[in-house]
Amino acid sequence: MDGDARDGKGLAVDVCQKMPEENSDLPSVDEPSNQNENGQPIDTSSQEQPATKETEPAKETKNTDRKPEATFYTFDRSGSMSSMGDAPSEALFQEIREKLAEAIHGDYVYIQAFDDRIDPPLHDGPVSQIKLTLENIKKGLKPRDRTALNDSFAALLKKAMTFHEANPGHEVAAVVYTDGAENSSKEYGGPEGLKKVSALVHKARDMGIEVIFMAANIDAFATGDSYGVPQRACLQAGQRNFVGLKYAKDGIRQKNICRSKGFGFTEQQIRSSSEEVPRFQKQ
């Protein structure tokens, strides 16, 4: 058994090691993760400090029996994202803290944001060198303008493929988060642009790069399918529920450690991320 079994719906079934039970009542990232002995929240004012200072790498959580991981993120910051408040920024900040705590030599992160253009990356380098604060991230993801999803998706895939070619020993993933459909791409606009992005998705996957598509307010499964993203790698994210970032990280780690063939969200993760489990499209 290779760690990549699927159930009848095409969902990932873990056969490598038992993962912790997911809890659909997970606290939002803006709630404190620790409490004192009286059940009162501990002061979280340190969240405004750089993530590298507030989270020391925890040796006991590291698993060095894995390849270095390189994760490439693109986040929608178009105007419609304003309805989500600070949830995206807080989720990304928490993701960074966890990556720092679990980092091994060679781990790499690239983070870009887009609206009708693609911003300079918030971070492009080793995980150990991340200096982002929560305020940095809020500023970088502040909503504005329209949604050049195709242009951003293509740029992310090209960046991930270039890295993979230079670093074949890494486990590489490209993660997209959006809350709306494409409406303003220039280089990859229209039906022809969609075909070109889909070709890049297939090329990246053929290279062994995991392509993960998460979305709110649109059908993540139908939209992901239009780009050629496998249904098992799509997630219908709740509008203010960003546990999908953690699920993606955990799934990539599981694939890495188990040396399995592919990434996939579990049915339980899908239920935790959205109130309804969307019907899977064709595999």
Side-chain angles (χ1 to χ4, degrees), residues 55-63 97-103:
T55 306
E56 292 296 330
K59 294 182 180 179
E60 66 275 13
T61 65
K62 292 184 181 181
N63 188 321
R97 295 174 66 192
E98 292 185 7
K99 281 186 174 296
L100 279 163
E102 301 168 359

Side-chain angles (χ1 to χ4, degrees), residues 38-50:
N38 296 319
Q40 297 300 315
I42 295 173
D43 179 20
T44 58
S45 59
S46 60
Q47 284 192 347
E48 300 307 319
Q49 299 301 316

Side-chain angles (χ1 to χ4, degrees), residues 72-100:
F72 293 75
Y73 297 98
T74 189
F75 286 91
D76 186 350
R77 65 172 298 183
S78 60
S80 57
M81 291 288 289
S82 60
S83 64
M84 301 189 187
D86 291 332
S89 300
E90 291 166 345
L92 178 55
F93 184 70
Q94 179 64 27
E95 182 79 355
I96 289 171
R97 295 174 66 192
E98 292 185 7
K99 281 186 174 296
L100 279 163

